[in-house]
């Protein structure tokens, strides 16, 4: 019996419409005459989903009793007995009630598929087993019900059901997903915009990987070697020469002409390790291609055109960009060149662009092989074995052991020649072959003790011995050199890879980079020197180690970086082959120094600009907002002191109340100004201690009328690690701001909840709200949104609240209130050891 086919509707989050899409597909199939039944679908009392069940045959569920409660599960036996063409099974990751046929629902689905029944099912991206840690880091909730990735990957069809976070939150706010009493908790915890956006991206990336896998499998199964240009993939062939930058920029412009274009730069090195490429230039080109949004690849290949074409076809490229050859005209006698060969063998499905550049036709040097450094001790032992070994062997064979025959004598001398090659290289082996042949002729070839050879066969034997000895010595020496080169190149590649990765990620400071140079090359000190012109003295931009050099002339090794910068090393003289890696280090050191200086200048400019802006805003605030309450106080005091008017007790009380209100407003404004000054100068030092929220939050509400605020702080919340004074000021500013913008008769809600290792305080108002572009701007100093009256403050309350929150390792953000308004979310760290409380949401959710 043929196995059934599996179709999965994959959702980015609960509520996106997976179950609805599955039921819509079932209706389409029933209309076409397909035998389709509902094996298990949970509509969660959602009216639109429940309506979609009408007109579809439903298999009765099996009832199971567990701990005194009756549950219903899918009746696998009944579905197998009915044996429809297609069965709908919702909630694939669901865990069955103990006593069921299988532990997990996906195991039930496997039985249906094995019986030849096609299955349509649903699953959310957060329930994939491999993504459990990622989802927990995003949402703070560990998914208990999961399904193995392999089960989902084996599906014949996977369809993504997607929805924007804003639309999903609107659907949630309208009550289309959860019951009204759970909407607020869901929106403030799991269904936050950031969580939904991250889950959506996770689902899109996972499905995109599956699309690539399907395409690769199809091409392999059908032996499709022809390139399918589903999107423009442009491969740039680099040689390590300066023309590479021109090629990369040209390829980037080609990629921009089509949607979704991709640039892949590839450098192909020969497997023998011989290369004339400049590591410094390759590092620059790697940085350039990554800055332009492409990727850099390093490939090993014996034949460069073949390796380049194999790489291009392997990544399903549509175009190859190469530079015109740098060879001179007479050098073409050695072959047509890489560009012509690639163009000839690319075929009709792969376009080849030959780009002209300034280096074309100027010639190029041939790769130079560097000999292996075997070390002095090994060379000495090679000469001893190659020269002294044959003499000792001759003494042993002539005086101690009986004659073993000329053939065996030759084999023994040949063994010494091979040993000399292994120890000392080619020259000791050649000397061993010469000495051995002379000793064989003198002592073991008749007539002995003469250089005359009587038997022509012995002449041939001696000649063969010399030829074999020289050949074996050459092969062994070449293998030793290649082994040394491979090990050295592998070490260089690892060093350069780590260096490039750390610098590109911005993880390396100048001192750390210089320290790595010192450790890599075993130097005493390393210094990066620079000067403004050729006649100016050298200055040290950074150094590590004792007694760094003050000028390149005093260094054991100096590596120029441009015209007025050099890397100076002291300790020992480096061989020439080490300077290639040193050049890469020097180039990166210059890049790090430039980045640090640019960052420092940017920070200084930002600080100056911020200071100027704050000073300007402060002058404006003092000139108006501080003068307003002062003018009111002055007018009230002058009226009370006036002897021309007899004020009644009610009038005096009203004037005194105005003075008190003006003084309170002044006190509030001056307090916020002082707090902002402390934040700007970095003098806020929080005294962190563990405390309950219900001890602090009620104290922050003293400045607002009791009938304007509703407080909801559960006693089960974990303690928070905060500064009580700073937290009180932050919450007070948030509540005063919310009350200020709330309509008359509307109460501001102050609630709190726990999520993973943090606690959230939410201040909810029903005011006009704030558009998304302005949500970050309202936290800047001296910012007031909308039509706030000029006497309502200088716009520092939210800035101070966020500054205090961040000083306590918390965050303060603004969100839309469902139904209209603004919600301030103050996130605080829970006290160490506090047990996080999971939100009261269903363990498994579907749409």
């Amino acid at each position: 019996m043929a196995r059934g086919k599996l179709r999965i509707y994959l959702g980015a989050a609960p509520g996106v419409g997976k179950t609805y899409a599955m039921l819509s597909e079932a209706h389409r199939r029933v209309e076409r005459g397909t035998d389709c039944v509902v094996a298990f679908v949970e509509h969660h009392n959602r009216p639109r989903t429940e309506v979609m069940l009408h007109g579809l045959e439903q298999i009765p569920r099996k009832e199971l009793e567990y701990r005194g409660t009756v549950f219903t599960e899918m009746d696998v036996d009944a579905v197998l007995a009915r044996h429809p063409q297609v069965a709908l099974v919702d909630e694939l990751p669901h865990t069955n009630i103990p006593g069921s046929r299988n532990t997990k629902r996906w195991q039930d689905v496997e039985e249906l598929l094995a019986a030849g029944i096609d299955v349509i099912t649903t699953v959310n991206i957060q329930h994939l087993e491999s993504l459990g840690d990622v989802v927990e880091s995003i949402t703070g909730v560990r998914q208990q019900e999961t399904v193995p990735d392999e089960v989902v990957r084996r599906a014949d069809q996977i369809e993504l059901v997607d929805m924007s976070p804003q639309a999903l939150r609107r659907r949630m706010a309208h009550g289309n997903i959860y019951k009204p009493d759970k909407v607020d908790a869901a929106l403030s915890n799991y269904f936050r915009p950031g969580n939904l956006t991250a889950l959506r991206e996770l689902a899109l990336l996972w499905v995109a990987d599956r699309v690539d896998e399907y395409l690769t499998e199809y091409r392999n199964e059908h032996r499709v070697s022809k390139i399918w240009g589903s999107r423009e993939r442009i491969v740039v062939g680099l040689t390590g020469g300066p023309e590479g930058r021109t090629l990369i920029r040209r390829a980037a412009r080609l990629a921009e002409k089509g949607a979704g274009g991709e640039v892949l730069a590839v450098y192909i090195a020969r497997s023998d390790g011989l290369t004339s490429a400049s590591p410094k230039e390759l590092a620059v080109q790697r940085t350039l291609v990554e800055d332009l949004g492409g990727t850099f690849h390093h490939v090993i290949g014996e034949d460069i055109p073949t390796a380049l074409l194999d790489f291009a076809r392997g990544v399903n490229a549509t175009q190859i960009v190469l530079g015109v050859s740098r060879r001179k005209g007479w050098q073409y006698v050695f072959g047509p060149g890489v560009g012509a060969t690639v163009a000839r063998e690319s075929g009709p499905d792969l376009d080849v662009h030959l780009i002209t550049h300034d280096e074309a036709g100027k010639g190029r040097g041939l790769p130079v092989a560097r000999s292996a450094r075997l070390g002095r001790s090994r060379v000495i032992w090679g000469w001893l074995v190659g020269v002294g070994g044959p003499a000792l062997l001759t003494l042993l064979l002539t005086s101690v052991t009986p004659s073993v025959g000329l053939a065996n004598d030759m084999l023994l001398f040949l063994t010494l020649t091979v040993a000399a090659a292994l120890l000392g290289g080619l020259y000791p082996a050649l000397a061993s072959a010469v000495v051995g042949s002379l000793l064989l002729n003198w002592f073991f070839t008749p007539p002995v003790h003469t250089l005359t050879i009587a038997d022509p066969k012995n002449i041939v034997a001696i000649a063969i011995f010399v030829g074999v000895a020289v050949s074996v010595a050459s092969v062994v020496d070449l293998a030793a050199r290649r082994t040394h080169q491979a090990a050295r190149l592998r070490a260089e590649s690892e060093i350069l890879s780590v260096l490039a990765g750390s610098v590109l990620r911005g993880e390396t400071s100048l001192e750390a980079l210089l320290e790595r140079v010192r450790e890599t090359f075993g130097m005493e000190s390393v210094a990066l020197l620079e000067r403004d012109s050729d006649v100016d003295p050298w200055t040290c931009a950074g150094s590590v180690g004792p007694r760094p050099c003050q000028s390149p002339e005093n260094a054991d090794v100096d590596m120029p970086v441009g015209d007025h910068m050099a890397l100076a090393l002291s300790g020992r003289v480096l061989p020439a082959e080490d300077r290639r890696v040193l050049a890469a280090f020097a180039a990166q050191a210059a890049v790090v120094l430039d980045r640090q200086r640019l960052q420092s200048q940017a920070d200084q400019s930002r600080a100056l600009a911020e200071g100027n802006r704050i000073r300007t805003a402060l002058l404006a605030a003092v000139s108006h907002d501080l003068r307003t309450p002062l003018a009111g106080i002055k007018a009230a005091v002058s009226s009370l002191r006036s002897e021309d008017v007899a004020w009644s007790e009610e009038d005096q009380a009203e004037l005194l109340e105005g003075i008190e209100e003006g003084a309170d407003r002044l006190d509030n404004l001056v307090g916020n100004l002082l707090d902002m000054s402390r934040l700007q100068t970095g003098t806020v030092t929080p005294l962190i201690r563990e405390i309950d929220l219900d001890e602090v939050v009620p104290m922050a509400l003293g400045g607002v009328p009791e009938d304007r605020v509703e407080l909801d702080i559960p006693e089960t919340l974990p303690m928070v690690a905060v500064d009580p004074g700073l937290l009180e000021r932050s919450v007070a500013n948030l509540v005063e701001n919310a009350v200020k913008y709330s309509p008359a008769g509307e109460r501001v809600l102050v609630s709190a909840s726990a999520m993973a290792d943090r606690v959230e305080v939410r201040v909810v108002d029903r005011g006009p709200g704030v558009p998304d572009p302005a949500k970050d701007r309202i936290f800047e100093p001296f910012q007031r949104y909308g039509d706030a009256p000029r006497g309502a403050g200088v716009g520092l309350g939210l800035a101070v609240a966020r500054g205090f929150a961040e000083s306590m390792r918390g965050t303060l953000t603004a969100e839309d209130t469902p139904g209209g308004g603004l919600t301030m979310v103050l996130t605080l760290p829970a006290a160490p050891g506090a047990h996080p409380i999971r939100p009261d949401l269903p363990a498994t959710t579907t749409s």
Side-chain angles (χ1 to χ4, degrees):
M1 179 181 296
R3 179 180 172 87
K5 295 183 178 181
L6 177 62
R7 178 170 183 168
I8 295 178
Y9 284 93
L10 178 67
V16 295
K18 303 179 302 301
T19 304
Y20 192 92
M22 178 179 66
L23 293 174
S24 299
E25 176 65 19
H27 280 286
R28 286 192 291 270
R29 297 199 181 198
V30 170
E31 291 175 358
R32 294 196 299 265
T34 304
D35 183 15
C36 182
V37 302
V38 176
F40 186 94
V41 169
E42 185 61 68
H43 54 74
H44 295 290
N45 296 322
R46 299 170 186 167
R48 296 186 178 182
T49 305
E50 189 174 2
V51 168
M52 293 298 294
L53 288 170
H54 298 167
L56 297 176
E57 178 184 351
Q58 301 185 48
I59 303 295
R61 302 181 184 182
K62 178 186 291 186
E63 294 185 351
L64 297 171
E65 184 176 351
Y66 180 66
R67 294 183 178 180
T69 305
V70 177
F71 298 90
T72 61
E73 294 286 1
M74 181 175 66
D75 193 339
V76 181
D77 293 327
V79 178
L80 292 174
R82 172 65 173 77
H83 203 281
Q85 289 179 278
V86 180
L88 307 184
V89 182
D90 205 3
E91 300 180 359
L92 185 64
H94 172 74
T95 301
N96 294 326
I97 297 299
S100 302
R101 182 188 186 96
N102 295 303
T103 304
K104 303 286 290 186
R105 183 164 292 163
W106 64 264
Q107 296 172 329
D108 297 337
V109 169
E110 287 294 322
E111 285 198 38
L112 300 182
L113 295 173
I117 301 174
D118 295 344
V119 176
I120 304 177
T121 186
T122 63
V123 65
N124 283 326
I125 190 68
Q126 67 264 28
H127 292 294
L128 294 182
E129 196 169 73
S130 66
L131 301 179
D133 294 337
V134 179
V135 173
E136 183 179 12
S137 66
I138 294 172
T139 64
V141 178
R142 183 70 181 189
Q143 298 295 330
Q144 302 299 323
E145 294 189 334
T146 60
V147 58
D149 287 48
E150 185 60 28
V151 174
V152 181
R153 289 184 180 275
R154 287 201 305 265
D156 299 276
Q157 297 180 54
I158 298 178
E159 182 172 337
L160 178 65
V161 182
D162 188 24
M163 179 178 288
S164 69
Q166 294 77 10
L168 183 56
R169 283 174 59 86
R170 284 196 299 270
R171 178 181 289 184
M172 172 73 70
H174 294 159
N176 295 335
I177 301 177
Y178 292 145
K179 295 180 179 180
D181 59 340
K182 293 184 178 181
V183 169
D184 287 339
L187 287 175
S188 62
N189 292 289
Y190 194 88
F191 285 82
R192 299 172 64 178
N195 292 357
L196 297 178
T197 302
L199 291 174
R200 186 187 190 195
E201 182 181 16
L202 199 63
L204 291 171
L205 291 175
W206 196 89
V207 173
D209 290 341
R210 289 295 298 139
V211 171
D212 285 341
E213 291 178 11
Y214 282 139
L215 181 60
T216 302
E217 290 175 4
Y218 182 87
R219 287 165 57 87
N220 293 337
E221 290 175 0
H222 294 78
R223 295 183 174 85
V224 178
S225 58
K226 183 178 179 180
I227 292 174
W228 287 356
S230 55
R231 61 172 173 168
E232 292 293 339
R233 281 193 175 96
I234 303 175
V235 172
V236 184
L238 302 178
T239 64
E243 75 280 0
R245 306 182 200 183
T246 302
L247 304 184
I248 293 171
R249 293 189 180 97
R250 178 60 174 162
R253 290 197 296 271
L254 290 174
E256 290 174 356
K257 295 180 179 179
E262 184 179 358
V263 176
L264 300 91
V266 57
Y267 169 70
I268 300 176
R270 298 185 185 275
S271 59
D272 58 6
L274 303 180
T275 175
S276 59
S278 166
K280 176 182 176 181
E281 185 63 32
L282 282 179
V284 172
Q285 293 174 15
R286 175 193 291 270
T287 303
L288 176 61
V289 71
E290 291 178 351
D291 289 343
L292 293 175
T295 55
F296 186 90
H297 305 268
H298 194 116
V299 177
I300 303 297
E302 295 289 346
D303 183 73
I304 292 180
T306 301
L308 181 60
L309 289 171
D310 289 343
F311 175 83
R313 293 192 174 100
V315 298
N316 200 32
T318 57
Q319 302 180 53
I320 295 179
V321 173
L322 297 174
V324 174
S325 178
R326 287 181 288 153
R327 295 192 297 178
K328 294 184 179 296
W330 61 268
Q331 291 178 314
Y332 281 97
V333 300
F334 300 105
V338 174
T341 304
V342 170
R344 184 180 66 247
E345 299 179 0
S346 62
D349 54 348
L350 190 57
D351 298 334
V352 179
H353 301 268
L354 292 179
I355 308 300
T356 58
H357 51 85
D358 295 337
E359 303 296 322
K362 291 185 177 180
R364 58 183 177 88
L366 296 176
V368 179
R370 293 178 173 86
S371 61
R373 295 183 294 131
L374 300 177
R376 178 178 298 180
S377 60
R378 285 191 58 178
V379 173
I380 293 175
W381 275 105
W383 282 103
L384 289 176
V385 173
V387 178
L392 292 176
L393 180 60
T394 300
L395 179 63
L396 179 65
L397 293 176
T398 55
S399 60
V400 180
T401 60
S403 177
V404 295
L406 181 60
N408 291 327
D409 293 337
M410 290 184 178
L411 290 176
L412 292 174
F413 278 94
L414 183 61
T415 302
L416 291 176
T417 301
V418 173
L422 289 173
L423 290 173
L426 179 62
Y427 295 111
L430 293 179
S432 177
V434 173
V435 173
S437 62
L438 292 176
L439 293 176
L440 280 171
N441 189 359
W442 184 270
F443 288 100
F444 302 102
T445 305
V448 296
H449 303 300
T450 66
L451 295 178
T452 303
I453 302 176
D455 191 349
K457 295 180 179 179
N458 292 336
I459 298 177
V460 175
I462 293 293
I464 292 175
F465 164 76
V466 174
V468 170
V470 172
S471 301
V472 171
S474 300
V475 171
V476 171
D477 177 73
L478 182 62
R481 292 174 184 272
R482 292 294 182 263
T483 301
H484 178 81
Q485 290 172 348
R488 178 176 183 82
L489 289 172
R490 182 175 63 250
E492 289 183 2
S493 299
E494 292 175 355
I495 293 172
L496 292 174
S497 176
V498 173
L499 172 65
S502 61
V503 172
L504 289 173
R505 291 189 299 268
E507 299 174 353
T508 303
S509 63
L510 180 60
E511 289 71 19
L513 182 61
L514 296 180
E515 181 64 30
R516 180 171 294 176
V517 174
R518 191 171 73 92
E519 293 176 354
T520 301
F521 297 99
M523 291 294 183
E524 292 181 1
S525 65
V526 180
L528 183 63
L529 307 176
E530 62 176 348
R531 58 182 179 180
D532 296 331
S533 65
D534 294 337
V535 297
D536 290 329
W538 291 94
T539 60
C540 182
S543 64
V544 293
R547 299 180 299 278
C549 299
Q550 300 302 318
S551 66
E553 293 79 10
N554 300 329
D556 294 319
V557 180
D558 70 285
M559 175 58 63
V561 187
D563 296 332
H564 303 119
M565 187 176 293
L567 193 65
L569 297 84
S570 62
R572 65 187 180 93
V573 178
L574 290 180
E577 55 264 33
D578 284 344
R579 295 181 65 87
R580 180 175 61 177
V581 179
L582 182 60
F585 274 104
Q588 296 289 15
V591 172
V592 171
L593 180 61
D594 289 341
R595 186 172 66 237
Q596 288 183 352
R597 288 177 173 173
L598 290 174
Q599 183 64 42
S600 177
Q601 294 174 2
D603 293 340
Q604 293 176 2
S605 300
R606 192 179 302 111
L608 290 174
E610 181 68 15
N612 289 332
R613 189 181 68 82
I614 290 178
R615 280 192 293 271
T616 302
L618 179 59
L619 290 174
V622 170
S623 64
H624 187 283
D625 294 284
L626 292 181
R627 291 176 61 185
T628 300
L630 282 174
I633 294 173
K634 174 65 175 176
V637 171
S638 298
S639 299
L640 288 174
R641 295 188 62 186
S642 175
E643 298 178 356
D644 300 335
V645 181
W647 300 102
S648 64
E649 293 184 358
E650 292 81 4
D651 294 336
Q652 291 180 2
E654 184 177 352
L655 291 173
L656 291 174
E657 183 180 356
I659 294 174
E660 185 177 9
E661 289 180 356
D664 290 340
R665 184 181 299 176
L666 274 178
D667 180 68
N668 185 43
L669 294 176
V670 173
N672 280 332
L673 287 172
L674 292 176
D675 289 338
M676 180 52 57
S677 175
R678 292 167 59 201
L679 289 171
Q680 292 291 335
T681 57
T683 57
V684 176
T685 305
L687 302 176
I688 304 297
R689 65 185 181 91
E690 299 180 4
I691 194 170
D692 288 320
L693 278 179
D694 54 9
E695 298 180 24
V696 180
V697 175
M699 299 175 61
L701 308 182
V704 296
E706 294 183 1
D707 59 345
R708 296 300 306 275
V709 180
E710 178 183 351
L711 192 60
D712 181 17
I713 306 295
E715 296 181 355
T716 57
L717 286 177
M719 300 180 72
V720 292
V722 297
D723 183 315
L726 298 184
L727 177 59
E728 181 182 345
R729 291 295 303 274
S730 298
V731 175
N733 285 352
L734 295 179
V735 174
E736 290 174 3
N737 185 79
V739 170
K740 182 192 308 179
Y741 288 97
S742 292
E746 290 286 348
R747 306 180 72 182
V748 172
L749 173 63
V750 180
S751 63
S753 60
M755 191 70 175
D757 58 348
R758 59 187 186 271
V759 176
E760 290 184 348
V761 179
R762 308 178 72 85
V763 180
V764 184
D765 68 60
R766 294 292 178 179
V770 176
D772 291 338
K775 281 188 171 64
D776 282 334
R777 194 167 64 249
I778 61 177
F779 292 103
E780 297 178 3
F782 306 104
Q783 295 291 325
R784 293 182 298 187
Y785 178 72
D787 57 352
R790 288 294 301 174
V794 295
L796 287 176
L798 295 182
V800 170
R802 170 174 276 190
F804 284 169
E806 292 177 349
S807 68
M808 297 183 293
R809 296 181 293 111
T811 60
L812 178 60
T813 56
E815 297 180 357
D816 291 331
T817 301
L822 189 67
T823 298
M824 291 293 178
V825 183
L826 176 61
T827 303
L828 303 170
H835 299 288
I837 299 176
R838 295 182 58 195
D840 185 17
L841 296 177
T844 302
T845 52
T846 60
S847 58

